[in-house]
Structure formats: C-alpha cells, structure tokens
Amino acid sequence: MTRKNMWIGGLAGTVMIAALLMFAATPEVAANDQAAAEVKIDNFSFGPQTITVPVGATVTWRNADDIPHTSVSTDGVFKSKVMDTDEKFSYTFTKAGTYPYYCSIHPKMTGQVVVK
C-alpha cells in the first residue's frame, strides 16, 4: 500500500466511525412521540402551547409561575386543582383527539394537547 492509499483509507475509516457515533447518539423516539410529556406554566402561558403525544401518554402540567394556575379541559375531560408554584397535575390520554384547555383563573391562558 502506498502512503496516499493509507492516508485515504485512514480518513475514510475516521469518517465512517464519526458517522456511526453521530447516528448512535440520535434518539430513536421523536420528541412528540414520547409516552410522557410536560407542559410548563410560566409567565401566564402554557409552554408549549400545543403538544402532540401518542395515545396512552401522560401529560404533566408544572406550575413554574409565582402565582396559582389551573389546567382545565374545555370539554370536561380533565380538571386540575389550583396549582401553586412547583405543583404538578398529570393526566393520561387514552383516546386520540384534540383536547383544548385553559386556566380557569386566567381564561386567556390556553393550550391544546393533540393525541395521535
């Protein structure tokens, strides 16, 4: 083997190893296809405002704001108690659909869970 062939072979091997490591580090589950998801309540908003999860996923709302909030389904599917700072409420979605919700204390705060 010539020096040039050895250099090209070494470079190709390095690139292949780097590509394998890059793909191995990539998560297999997309962020929106997880079985558990969190909605952060902060600064009078739900974040993310729309979240997509699979059927059977549990969504947890966490109040990171300094004031109390709720998470209430407009269709009556779920209703949290009043959550103070750092309190949580979770609900498991067993049917596909779109579930709009709001804060009953601050009705302009809205969000939706899309279950596929």
Side-chain angles (χ1 to χ4, degrees):
M1 237 189 207
T2 66
R3 283 186 126 171
K4 184 178 179 182
N5 288 344
M6 288 178 58
W7 186 84
I8 291 173
L11 179 62
T14 303
V15 169
M16 288 177 63
I17 290 171
L20 286 172
L21 290 174
M22 187 171 66
F23 287 118
T26 303
E28 292 181 24
V29 179
N32 287 339
D33 290 336
Q34 54 195 353
E38 184 176 271
V39 175
K40 182 179 175 185
I41 304 169
D42 196 16
N43 198 23
F44 291 93
S45 65
F46 295 105
Q49 189 171 14
T50 299
I51 191 164
T52 303
V53 296
V55 171
T58 298
V59 176
T60 300
W61 286 263
R62 182 176 58 86
N63 185 6
D65 214 339
D66 292 337
I67 60 169
H69 292 288
T70 65
S71 178
V72 179
S73 164
T74 59
D75 301 329
V77 176
F78 59 86
K79 180 179 180 179
S80 75
K81 67 176 185 67
V82 175
M83 294 177 282
D84 286 324
T85 304
D86 293 328
E87 288 188 320
K88 298 176 182 181
F89 165 73
S90 295
Y91 183 80
T92 301
F93 292 87
T94 58
K95 294 181 182 176
T98 299
Y99 298 86
Y101 62 90
Y102 65 100
C103 173
S104 61
I105 302 169
H106 311 100
K108 291 188 179 190
M109 289 177 57
T110 62
Q112 69 177 357
V113 178
V114 178
V115 182
K116 293 185 176 182

